Amino acid sequence: MKKLIYLLAAFLFIVQGGCTKLDQEFYSQVTPETFFQSEKDILAALNRPFTHARWYMGADRWKLQECAADAFAITTKGRHWYNGGENERYHYHRWTADENWVWQTWRGTLMGISLALDAKNDLTKLDYGRFALTQADKDAHISQLNTLIAYFYLRGLDFFGGLPVFTSLDQGALPRSTDQEVFNHIEGLLKEAMTKLPGKTGGQREEGVLRQGAAAAMLAQLYFNAEAYIRKPMYAECMQLCREIVDGKYGPYSLDAAWNGPHGFKNDQSPEIIWSIPSEFNKLQYDWFFADFYHYNTRQFFDTDMGANNGLHLTPSRAPDSSLYTTRLGNPYEKFAPTDLRKQVYRYLGSGNYEGMFINGPMLTRAGATIKGGEEYKDQPLVFRDQVARFSEVGPGKKYASISNLTSRMSDGEENTGVRLVKVPIPPLAENTLRWGADMPVIRLAEIYYMLAECQWRSGDAGSAATLINAVRKRNFPGGVDPNPATAANLDAYRFLDEWLVEFLGEGRRRTDLIRWKKFTTEAWWDHTPSGSEHLNRFPVPTQAISGNNSLKQNPGY
């Protein structure tokens, strides 16, 4: 892993610069034949677009998937986070073609494709024999890049529909291809890659290398959501691929015995990881979320020196009067059973071990001392609530006479609003060498189990679907005693969406799941009311993109 991270880090500055400039400059006097002097140069070129993938998988892409859906929000907290109404526009499905998250995602998608095509162009021209490498090595490298290109197109198809399909860097400004043409391009890239990529062998750690299992999983994802992409259900095709992955055709993957095995400091050793992006302290860190997720004083809770800006949190499960919301979607914290090991407050236990994955209730230091607020609750104990309301403004002489008068909207947040997710463990300063030691899981076997389960249910086999869901669920409870297992009788659209929500909370996929189940624009959650506008299942082509390429056509409805 360290070798790969060092090579990736060497190109981080280049790629970060590329994320702010779409036009690349190429110099004819530097050719692949003269630039590449060793295997190390080849690996550096191969891994360069993967650094962009690391950036791409967080921040704005994550927010489009989660903040436009039912599990997360960035509420206005007093004088903080109104951001010109941006966060509310996503939550209430009122975004426009001028939104920055949308623009950064469009350009980031095409930049990822560009970087991968650039590396592919260079490596294709090389005589691998000069470096004591084989044709099989070359095929594997090119196939990794083809798979990465397919990944970026897959995400772009999900966000926008049709995109310009580039096969080289000298094609100029292309118009958008149709949804079907992009779908076919992704399918072709992945099918070819699956014939040339190596499979996983026993005992291999996951260090960011794309193998057959990852390509097969991406193809399964493409088929799984085909009805949303090209209006053609392909659940049978998805089911076949998922069965092959589960049966070990592409390598010996298995579910991790521990709920936090795929997310912990040593998750590169988890048998569940099919593809991950390496992370290590001070080298290509998987850390984008920290500042947005946590309160200014959370550094005292974690016993760390990192600052945060108190933005993101779970949407509330409870109204100001503490009653549970009754919408079928949303209410993420209360979707976890009381005995679920994950529902505990996060606590670092030492030596890389920890429990729980939430910050809720009184915020205390590791020694048990009270942590105090700095805004509405300045110098008062900081107590996080699974609610959104201006509780600090209730009382004699204040804005609200009683809690019954409170509203709960995106504009009503406070500094302690919302449960905070700790899916990636944070060590204290005393064990700072572990910081950002958890890699970024991109595809894990639990997703394959759930895709297979959903496909089986859709085919009429609810019993087998329940068995697969329960195989994942049981690790989340003491002694494997599940208080509410899935059954053939209780599995329906909402139960499936609850299972996807709980298992993959905060993993940047929620919008896609809601769209597949036709709930994204038709259902309510918390203070979000459904628009009923199907065109919102896709984001608009950014105004900035169209202004730079007049051949691009806008999506319907914008």
Side-chain angles (χ1 to χ4, degrees):
M1 176 186 288
K2 289 184 178 179
K3 180 180 179 182
L4 178 59
I5 289 175
Y6 287 129
L7 290 170
L8 291 173
F11 279 88
L12 178 59
F13 178 78
I14 295 172
V15 175
Q16 285 180 329
C19 293
T20 59
K21 183 180 180 182
L22 286 175
D23 298 324
Q24 299 188 67
E25 295 181 8
F26 299 93
Y27 299 92
S28 59
Q29 64 268 33
V30 180
T31 66
E33 292 78 6
T34 59
F35 176 80
F36 292 91
Q37 299 298 319
S38 68
E39 180 183 357
K40 182 178 179 180
D41 295 330
I42 292 175
L43 293 176
L46 171 66
N47 292 322
R48 182 175 62 179
F50 284 85
T51 66
H52 181 81
R54 163 199 160 274
W55 166 84
Y56 181 86
M57 292 170 189
D60 297 341
R61 272 62 53 203
W62 187 96
K63 291 175 184 176
L64 288 182
Q65 285 288 77
E66 299 288 3
C67 293
D70 62 330
F72 287 88
I74 305 175
T75 52
T76 301
K77 301 173 185 65
R79 60 196 176 100
H80 301 290
W81 283 108
Y82 178 66
N83 284 15
E86 177 182 41
N87 301 315
E88 293 188 6
R89 290 195 296 275
Y90 287 109
H91 178 78
Y92 295 124
H93 290 191
R94 299 170 185 162
W95 55 76
T96 72
D98 298 318
E99 308 292 353
N100 188 57
W101 296 356
V102 174
W103 164 237
Q104 292 295 340
T105 297
W106 174 275
R107 71 197 297 266
T109 301
L110 295 181
M111 178 58 70
I113 294 164
S114 173
L115 287 167
L117 283 173
D118 182 26
K120 178 182 174 182
N121 177 66
D122 286 347
L123 297 187
T124 300
K125 296 174 181 177
L126 288 183
D127 176 6
Y128 267 49
R130 287 178 50 211
F131 308 97
L133 297 173
T134 67
Q135 183 62 41
D137 293 325
K138 185 174 184 177
D139 288 345
H141 290 171
I142 299 301
S143 294
Q144 281 202 67
L145 292 168
N146 281 335
T147 304
L148 190 59
I149 291 168
Y151 170 80
F152 284 118
Y153 270 118
L154 177 59
R155 300 309 310 138
L157 178 64
D158 189 275
F159 285 124
F160 301 105
L163 297 166
V165 172
F166 293 94
T167 56
S168 70
L169 294 177
D170 57 1
Q171 292 177 275
L174 297 179
R176 299 173 68 189
S177 295
T178 66
D179 305 339
Q180 184 69 61
E181 288 168 341
V182 175
F183 185 98
N184 293 345
H185 184 57
I186 299 166
E187 183 181 39
L189 287 169
L190 293 173
K191 283 185 172 180
E192 180 182 1
M194 286 169 61
T195 67
K196 296 181 178 179
L197 285 171
K200 179 182 179 179
T201 58
Q204 280 184 313
R205 294 187 179 189
E206 292 304 322
E207 299 179 338
V209 175
L210 285 164
R211 300 189 177 96
Q212 279 184 338
M218 290 181 203
L219 187 58
Q221 292 169 340
L222 181 70
Y223 293 151
F224 192 47
N225 294 288
E227 187 172 10
Y229 298 157
I230 58 172
R231 301 187 183 279
K232 176 185 175 183
M234 298 185 72
Y235 295 108
E237 292 84 347
C238 175
M239 183 160 53
Q240 179 181 342
L241 280 166
C242 290
R243 279 176 174 158
E244 290 174 353
I245 296 170
V246 170
D247 291 343
K249 180 176 179 179
Y250 306 107
Y253 301 102
S254 60
L255 292 174
D256 203 300
W259 71 265
N260 57 1
H263 308 288
F265 296 106
K266 297 182 179 180
N267 62 346
D268 60 313
Q269 301 176 36
S270 173
E272 185 169 319
I273 300 295
I274 295 176
W275 182 35
S276 62
I277 301 294
S279 176
E280 191 174 342
F281 188 32
N282 287 332
K283 305 178 190 72
L284 290 178
Q285 299 170 166
Y286 172 33
D287 63 355
W288 72 266
F289 54 86
F290 186 91
D292 285 355
F293 275 34
Y294 303 124
H295 186 276
Y296 321 110
N297 295 336
T298 305
R299 68 180 70 193
Q300 300 173 43
F301 174 82
F302 289 126
D303 185 18
T304 185
D305 57 356
M306 296 181 290
N309 58 35
N310 200 28
L312 279 156
H313 55 80
L314 271 63
T315 54
S317 300
R318 295 182 180 273
D321 64 2
S322 296
S323 61
L324 282 170
Y325 287 117
T326 58
T327 54
R328 298 298 298 270
L329 299 184
N331 312 331
Y333 185 68
E334 288 300 333
K335 292 287 172 65
F336 289 82
T339 57
D340 195 315
L341 295 169
R342 297 167 295 183
K343 200 174 185 180
Q344 300 178 60
V345 171
Y346 174 82
R347 187 164 70 98
Y348 187 76
L349 303 175
S351 302
N353 299 307
Y354 64 97
E355 64 184 16
M357 68 177 202
F358 293 106
I359 299 174
N360 191 31
M363 180 175 269
L364 307 173
T365 67
R366 296 180 68 222
T370 297
I371 298 173
K372 296 181 178 180
E375 296 284 336
E376 291 90 353
Y377 300 95
K378 183 176 176 60
D379 299 326
Q380 300 177 51
L382 190 59
V383 181
F384 283 91
R385 297 173 177 264
D386 188 18
Q387 297 162 287
V388 175
R390 299 290 296 174
F391 291 98
S392 63
E393 297 179 358
V394 175
K398 295 186 178 181
K399 184 175 181 179
Y400 301 101
S402 69
I403 287 176
S404 63
N405 300 124
L406 288 173
T407 56
S408 184
R409 304 164 301 190
M410 282 287 289
S411 58
D412 293 328
E414 296 183 316
E415 66 175 308
N416 65 341
T417 288
V419 176
R420 310 303 168 94
L421 177 67
V422 190
K423 198 119 190 196
V424 181
I426 309 297
L429 280 172
E431 298 186 47
N432 212 35
T433 55
L434 290 176
R435 189 189 292 187
W436 313 128
D439 294 346
M440 182 194 306
V442 185
I443 304 172
R444 52 192 182 94
L445 189 64
E447 178 183 359
I448 307 304
Y449 267 64
Y450 277 32
M451 285 199 293
L452 180 55
E454 189 175 315
C455 291
Q456 288 181 323
W457 181 85
R458 290 177 184 273
S459 73
D461 188 358
S464 295
T467 298
L468 286 163
I469 295 292
N470 292 331
V472 178
R473 283 181 58 90
K474 66 180 182 180
R475 67 187 179 190
N476 301 313
F477 302 96
V481 180
D482 186 344
N484 184 28
T487 67
N490 68 22
L491 274 179
D492 61 10
Y494 294 104
R495 177 65 189 253
F496 265 109
L497 282 170
D498 286 351
E499 296 297 339
W500 281 110
L501 174 67
V502 170
E503 179 61 30
F504 294 93
L505 183 66
E507 295 189 42
R509 62 170 299 127
R510 185 59 173 173
R511 167 186 157 275
T512 299
D513 291 330
L514 294 180
I515 290 172
R516 187 179 61 260
W517 281 101
K518 299 179 175 63
K519 306 295 185 184
F520 185 60
T521 63
T522 60
E523 293 277 336
W525 53 83
W526 178 33
D527 71 329
H528 170 94
T529 56
S531 68
S533 301
E534 188 177 347
H535 77 276
L536 295 172
N537 287 333
R538 289 181 176 167
F539 291 107
V541 179
T543 300
Q544 287 176 268
I546 294 175
S547 66
N549 179 0
N550 292 331
S551 66
L552 295 176
K553 302 299 182 184
Q554 184 56 270
N555 277 330
Y558 293 104

Coordinates of all heavy atoms in Angstrom, one line a residue, residues 214-270:
A214 N -14.0 -5.8 -9.5 CA -14.4 -4.4 -9.5 C -15.1 -4.1 -10.8 O -16.2 -3.4 -10.8 CB -13.2 -3.5 -9.3
A215 N -14.5 -4.6 -11.9 CA -15.2 -4.3 -13.2 C -16.5 -5.0 -13.3 O -17.5 -4.5 -13.8 CB -14.3 -4.8 -14.4
A216 N -16.6 -6.3 -12.8 CA -17.9 -7.0 -12.8 C -18.9 -6.3 -11.9 O -20.1 -6.2 -12.3 CB -17.6 -8.4 -12.2
A217 N -18.5 -5.7 -10.8 CA -19.4 -5.0 -9.9 C -19.9 -3.8 -10.5 O -21.1 -3.4 -10.4 CB -18.7 -4.7 -8.6
M218 N -19.0 -3.0 -11.3 CA -19.5 -1.8 -12.0 C -20.5 -2.2 -13.0 O -21.5 -1.5 -13.3 CB -18.3 -1.1 -12.6 CG -17.4 -0.4 -11.6 SD -16.0 0.5 -12.4 CE -14.8 0.5 -11.1
L219 N -20.2 -3.3 -13.8 CA -21.2 -3.7 -14.8 C -22.5 -4.1 -14.2 O -23.6 -3.7 -14.7 CB -20.6 -4.9 -15.6 CG -21.4 -5.3 -16.8 CD1 -21.6 -4.2 -17.8 CD2 -20.7 -6.5 -17.5
A220 N -22.5 -4.7 -13.0 CA -23.7 -5.0 -12.3 C -24.4 -3.8 -11.8 O -25.6 -3.7 -11.9 CB -23.4 -5.9 -11.0
Q221 N -23.7 -2.8 -11.4 CA -24.3 -1.5 -11.0 C -25.0 -0.8 -12.2 O -26.1 -0.3 -12.1 CB -23.2 -0.5 -10.5 CG -22.7 -0.9 -9.1 CD -21.4 -0.1 -8.7 OE1 -20.8 0.5 -9.6 NE2 -21.1 -0.1 -7.5
L222 N -24.3 -0.9 -13.4 CA -24.9 -0.4 -14.6 C -26.2 -1.0 -14.9 O -27.2 -0.4 -15.2 CB -23.9 -0.6 -15.8 CG -24.4 0.0 -17.1 CD1 -24.4 1.5 -17.2 CD2 -23.4 -0.6 -18.3
Y223 N -26.3 -2.4 -14.9 CA -27.5 -3.1 -15.1 C -28.5 -2.9 -14.1 O -29.7 -2.8 -14.3 CB -27.2 -4.6 -15.3 CG -26.4 -5.0 -16.4 CD1 -25.5 -6.1 -16.4 CD2 -26.4 -4.3 -17.6 CE1 -24.7 -6.5 -17.5 CE2 -25.6 -4.6 -18.7 CZ -24.8 -5.8 -18.6 OH -24.0 -6.1 -19.7
F224 N -28.1 -2.8 -12.8 CA -29.0 -2.6 -11.7 C -29.8 -1.3 -11.8 O -31.0 -1.3 -11.5 CB -28.2 -2.5 -10.4 CG -28.9 -2.6 -9.1 CD1 -29.9 -3.6 -8.9 CD2 -28.6 -1.8 -8.1 CE1 -30.6 -3.8 -7.7 CE2 -29.3 -1.9 -6.8 CZ -30.3 -2.9 -6.7
N225 N -29.3 -0.3 -12.4 CA -30.0 1.0 -12.5 C -30.4 1.3 -14.0 O -30.7 2.4 -14.3 CB -29.1 2.1 -12.0 CG -28.9 2.0 -10.5 OD1 -29.8 2.2 -9.7 ND2 -27.7 1.6 -10.0
A226 N -30.3 0.3 -14.8 CA -30.6 0.5 -16.2 C -32.0 1.0 -16.5 O -32.1 1.8 -17.4 CB -30.4 -0.9 -17.0
E227 N -32.9 0.7 -15.7 CA -34.3 1.2 -15.9 C -34.3 2.7 -15.8 O -35.0 3.4 -16.5 CB -35.3 0.6 -15.0 CG -36.7 1.0 -15.3 CD -37.7 0.2 -14.5 OE1 -37.3 -0.5 -13.5 OE2 -38.9 0.3 -14.8
A228 N -33.5 3.3 -14.8 CA -33.4 4.7 -14.7 C -32.6 5.3 -15.7 O -32.8 6.5 -16.1 CB -32.8 5.0 -13.3
Y229 N -31.6 4.6 -16.2 CA -30.7 5.2 -17.2 C -31.2 5.1 -18.6 O -31.1 6.1 -19.4 CB -29.3 4.5 -17.2 CG -28.6 4.6 -15.9 CD1 -27.6 3.6 -15.5 CD2 -28.8 5.6 -15.0 CE1 -27.0 3.7 -14.3 CE2 -28.1 5.7 -13.8 CZ -27.2 4.7 -13.4 OH -26.5 4.8 -12.3
I230 N -31.7 4.0 -19.0 CA -32.2 3.8 -20.4 C -33.6 3.3 -20.6 O -34.0 2.8 -21.6 CB -31.2 2.9 -21.2 CG1 -31.1 1.5 -20.5 CG2 -29.8 3.5 -21.3 CD1 -30.3 0.5 -21.3
R231 N -34.3 3.3 -19.4 CA -35.7 2.9 -19.4 C -35.9 1.4 -19.8 O -36.9 1.0 -20.5 CB -36.6 3.8 -20.2 CG -36.6 5.3 -19.8 CD -37.6 6.1 -20.5 NE -37.4 7.5 -20.1 CZ -38.0 8.0 -19.0 NH1 -38.7 7.3 -18.2 NH2 -37.8 9.3 -18.7
K232 N -34.9 0.6 -19.5 CA -35.0 -0.8 -19.8 C -34.5 -1.6 -18.6 O -33.3 -1.6 -18.2 CB -34.1 -1.1 -21.0 CG -34.0 -2.6 -21.3 CD -33.0 -2.9 -22.4 CE -32.8 -4.3 -22.7 NZ -31.7 -4.6 -23.8
P233 N -35.4 -2.3 -17.9 CA -35.0 -3.1 -16.7 C -34.0 -4.2 -17.2 O -34.2 -4.9 -18.1 CB -36.3 -3.7 -16.2 CG -37.4 -2.9 -16.8 CD -36.9 -2.4 -18.1
M234 N -32.9 -4.3 -16.4 CA -31.9 -5.4 -16.7 C -31.5 -6.1 -15.4 O -30.3 -6.3 -15.1 CB -30.7 -4.7 -17.4 CG -31.0 -4.1 -18.7 SD -29.5 -3.5 -19.6 CE -28.8 -5.1 -20.1
Y235 N -32.5 -6.3 -14.5 CA -32.2 -7.0 -13.3 C -31.7 -8.4 -13.4 O -30.9 -8.9 -12.6 CB -33.5 -6.9 -12.4 CG -33.9 -5.5 -12.0 CD1 -35.0 -4.9 -12.6 CD2 -33.1 -4.8 -11.1 CE1 -35.4 -3.6 -12.3 CE2 -33.5 -3.5 -10.8 CZ -34.6 -2.9 -11.4 OH -34.9 -1.6 -11.1
A236 N -32.2 -9.1 -14.4 CA -31.7 -10.5 -14.6 C -30.2 -10.5 -14.9 O -29.4 -11.3 -14.4 CB -32.5 -11.1 -15.8
E237 N -29.7 -9.5 -15.8 CA -28.3 -9.4 -16.1 C -27.5 -9.1 -14.8 O -26.4 -9.6 -14.6 CB -28.1 -8.4 -17.2 CG -28.6 -8.8 -18.6 CD -30.1 -8.5 -18.7 OE1 -30.8 -8.2 -17.7 OE2 -30.6 -8.5 -19.9
C238 N -28.1 -8.2 -14.0 CA -27.4 -7.8 -12.8 C -27.3 -9.0 -11.9 O -26.3 -9.2 -11.2 CB -28.2 -6.7 -12.1 SG -27.5 -6.2 -10.5
M239 N -28.4 -9.7 -11.8 CA -28.5 -10.9 -10.8 C -27.4 -11.9 -11.2 O -26.7 -12.5 -10.3 CB -29.9 -11.5 -10.9 CG -30.0 -12.7 -9.9 SD -31.8 -13.0 -9.5 CE -32.5 -13.2 -11.2
Q240 N -27.2 -12.2 -12.5 CA -26.2 -13.2 -12.9 C -24.8 -12.7 -12.4 O -24.0 -13.5 -11.9 CB -26.2 -13.3 -14.4 CG -25.2 -14.3 -14.9 CD -25.2 -14.5 -16.4 OE1 -26.2 -14.2 -17.1 NE2 -24.2 -15.1 -17.0
L241 N -24.5 -11.5 -12.7 CA -23.1 -11.0 -12.3 C -23.0 -11.0 -10.8 O -21.9 -11.4 -10.3 CB -22.9 -9.5 -12.8 CG -22.5 -9.4 -14.3 CD1 -22.7 -8.0 -14.7 CD2 -21.1 -9.9 -14.5
C242 N -24.0 -10.6 -10.1 CA -23.9 -10.6 -8.6 C -23.7 -12.1 -8.1 O -22.9 -12.3 -7.1 CB -25.1 -10.0 -8.0 SG -25.2 -8.2 -8.2
R243 N -24.4 -13.0 -8.6 CA -24.2 -14.4 -8.2 C -22.8 -14.9 -8.5 O -22.2 -15.6 -7.7 CB -25.2 -15.3 -9.0 CG -26.6 -15.3 -8.4 CD -27.5 -16.1 -9.2 NE -28.8 -16.2 -8.5 CZ -30.0 -16.5 -9.2 NH1 -29.9 -16.7 -10.5 NH2 -31.1 -16.6 -8.5
E244 N -22.2 -14.5 -9.6 CA -20.8 -14.9 -10.0 C -19.9 -14.3 -9.0 O -18.9 -14.9 -8.5 CB -20.5 -14.4 -11.4 CG -21.2 -15.2 -12.5 CD -21.0 -14.6 -13.9 OE1 -20.4 -13.5 -14.0 OE2 -21.5 -15.2 -14.8
I245 N -20.1 -13.0 -8.6 CA -19.2 -12.4 -7.6 C -19.3 -13.1 -6.2 O -18.3 -13.4 -5.6 CB -19.5 -10.9 -7.5 CG1 -19.2 -10.2 -8.8 CG2 -18.7 -10.2 -6.4 CD1 -19.7 -8.7 -8.8
V246 N -20.5 -13.3 -5.8 CA -20.7 -14.0 -4.5 C -20.1 -15.4 -4.5 O -19.6 -15.8 -3.5 CB -22.2 -14.0 -4.2 CG1 -22.5 -14.9 -3.0 CG2 -22.7 -12.6 -3.9
D247 N -20.3 -16.1 -5.6 CA -19.8 -17.4 -5.7 C -18.3 -17.5 -5.9 O -17.7 -18.6 -6.0 CB -20.5 -18.2 -6.9 CG -21.9 -18.4 -6.6 OD1 -22.3 -18.3 -5.4 OD2 -22.7 -18.7 -7.6
G248 N -17.6 -16.4 -6.0 CA -16.1 -16.4 -6.1 C -15.5 -16.5 -7.5 O -14.3 -16.7 -7.6
K249 N -16.3 -16.3 -8.5 CA -15.7 -16.4 -9.8 C -14.6 -15.4 -10.1 O -13.6 -15.7 -10.8 CB -16.8 -16.1 -10.9 CG -16.4 -16.2 -12.3 CD -17.5 -16.1 -13.3 CE -17.0 -16.2 -14.8 NZ -18.1 -16.1 -15.8
Y250 N -14.7 -14.2 -9.5 CA -13.7 -13.2 -9.7 C -12.7 -13.0 -8.5 O -11.9 -12.1 -8.5 CB -14.4 -11.9 -10.0 CG -15.3 -12.0 -11.1 CD1 -16.7 -12.0 -10.9 CD2 -14.9 -12.2 -12.4 CE1 -17.6 -12.1 -11.9 CE2 -15.8 -12.3 -13.5 CZ -17.2 -12.3 -13.2 OH -18.1 -12.4 -14.2
G251 N -12.8 -13.9 -7.6 CA -11.9 -13.8 -6.4 C -12.6 -14.2 -5.1 O -13.8 -14.2 -5.1
P252 N -11.8 -14.5 -4.1 CA -12.4 -15.0 -2.8 C -12.8 -13.8 -1.9 O -12.2 -13.6 -0.9 CB -11.2 -15.7 -2.2 CG -10.0 -15.0 -2.7 CD -10.3 -14.5 -4.1
Y253 N -13.9 -13.1 -2.3 CA -14.5 -12.1 -1.5 C -15.5 -12.7 -0.5 O -16.1 -13.7 -0.8 CB -15.2 -11.0 -2.3 CG -14.3 -10.4 -3.3 CD1 -14.4 -10.7 -4.7 CD2 -13.4 -9.4 -2.9 CE1 -13.5 -10.1 -5.6 CE2 -12.6 -8.8 -3.9 CZ -12.7 -9.1 -5.2 OH -11.9 -8.5 -6.1
S254 N -15.6 -12.1 0.7 CA -16.5 -12.6 1.7 C -16.9 -11.5 2.6 O -16.2 -10.5 2.7 CB -15.9 -13.8 2.5 OG -14.8 -13.3 3.2
L255 N -18.1 -11.6 3.2 CA -18.5 -10.5 4.1 C -17.6 -10.5 5.4 O -17.2 -11.5 5.9 CB -20.0 -10.8 4.6 CG -21.1 -10.7 3.6 CD1 -22.4 -11.2 4.1 CD2 -21.2 -9.3 3.0
D256 N -17.3 -9.3 5.8 CA -16.5 -9.1 7.0 C -17.4 -9.5 8.2 O -18.6 -9.3 8.3 CB -16.1 -7.7 7.1 CG -14.9 -7.5 8.0 OD1 -14.9 -7.9 9.2 OD2 -13.8 -7.0 7.5
A257 N -16.7 -10.2 9.2 CA -17.5 -10.6 10.4 C -17.9 -9.5 11.3 O -18.8 -9.6 12.0 CB -16.6 -11.6 11.1
A258 N -17.1 -8.4 11.2 CA -17.4 -7.2 12.1 C -18.1 -6.1 11.3 O -17.7 -5.8 10.1 CB -16.1 -6.7 12.7
W259 N -19.0 -5.4 11.9 CA -19.7 -4.3 11.2 C -18.7 -3.2 10.7 O -18.9 -2.6 9.6 CB -20.8 -3.7 12.1 CG -20.3 -2.9 13.2 CD1 -20.1 -3.3 14.5 CD2 -19.9 -1.5 13.2 NE1 -19.6 -2.2 15.2 CE2 -19.5 -1.1 14.5 CE3 -19.9 -0.5 12.2 CZ2 -19.1 0.2 14.8 CZ3 -19.5 0.8 12.5 CH2 -19.0 1.1 13.8
N260 N -17.7 -3.0 11.5 CA -16.8 -1.9 11.1 C -15.5 -2.4 10.4 O -14.6 -1.6 10.1 CB -16.4 -1.1 12.4 CG -15.8 -1.9 13.5 OD1 -15.6 -3.1 13.3 ND2 -15.5 -1.2 14.6
G261 N -15.5 -3.7 10.1 CA -14.3 -4.2 9.4 C -14.0 -3.5 8.1 O -12.9 -3.1 7.7
P262 N -15.1 -3.2 7.3 CA -14.9 -2.5 6.0 C -14.5 -1.0 6.1 O -14.2 -0.4 5.1 CB -16.2 -2.7 5.2 CG -16.9 -3.8 6.0 CD -16.5 -3.7 7.4
H263 N -14.6 -0.5 7.3 CA -14.4 0.9 7.5 C -13.3 1.3 8.4 O -12.9 2.5 8.5 CB -15.7 1.5 8.1 CG -17.0 1.2 7.3 ND1 -17.2 1.7 6.1 CD2 -18.0 0.3 7.6 CE1 -18.4 1.2 5.6 NE2 -18.8 0.3 6.5
G264 N -12.7 0.4 9.1 CA -11.7 0.7 10.1 C -10.3 0.9 9.6 O -10.1 1.0 8.4
F265 N -9.4 1.1 10.5 CA -8.0 1.5 10.2 C -7.3 0.4 9.3 O -6.4 0.7 8.6 CB -7.2 1.7 11.5 CG -7.7 2.9 12.3 CD1 -8.4 2.7 13.5 CD2 -7.5 4.2 11.9 CE1 -8.9 3.7 14.2 CE2 -8.0 5.2 12.6 CZ -8.7 5.0 13.8
K266 N -7.7 -0.8 9.4 CA -7.1 -1.9 8.7 C -8.1 -2.5 7.6 O -8.0 -3.6 7.3 CB -6.7 -3.0 9.6 CG -5.6 -2.5 10.6 CD -5.1 -3.7 11.5 CE -4.0 -3.2 12.5 NZ -3.6 -4.3 13.4
N267 N -8.9 -1.6 7.0 CA -9.9 -2.1 6.1 C -9.3 -2.6 4.8 O -10.0 -3.2 4.0 CB -11.0 -1.1 5.9 CG -10.6 0.2 5.2 OD1 -9.4 0.5 5.2 ND2 -11.5 1.0 4.8
D268 N -8.0 -2.3 4.5 CA -7.4 -2.9 3.3 C -7.2 -4.4 3.5 O -7.0 -5.1 2.5 CB -6.0 -2.2 3.1 CG -5.0 -2.5 4.3 OD1 -5.5 -2.3 5.4 OD2 -3.9 -2.8 4.0
Q269 N -7.4 -4.9 4.7 CA -7.3 -6.3 4.9 C -8.7 -7.0 5.0 O -8.8 -8.2 5.1 CB -6.6 -6.6 6.3 CG -5.2 -6.1 6.3 CD -4.6 -6.3 7.7 OE1 -4.8 -7.3 8.3 NE2 -3.8 -5.4 8.1
S270 N -9.8 -6.2 4.9 CA -11.1 -6.7 4.9 C -11.4 -7.5 3.7 O -11.2 -7.1 2.6 CB -12.2 -5.6 5.0 OG -13.5 -6.1 5.0

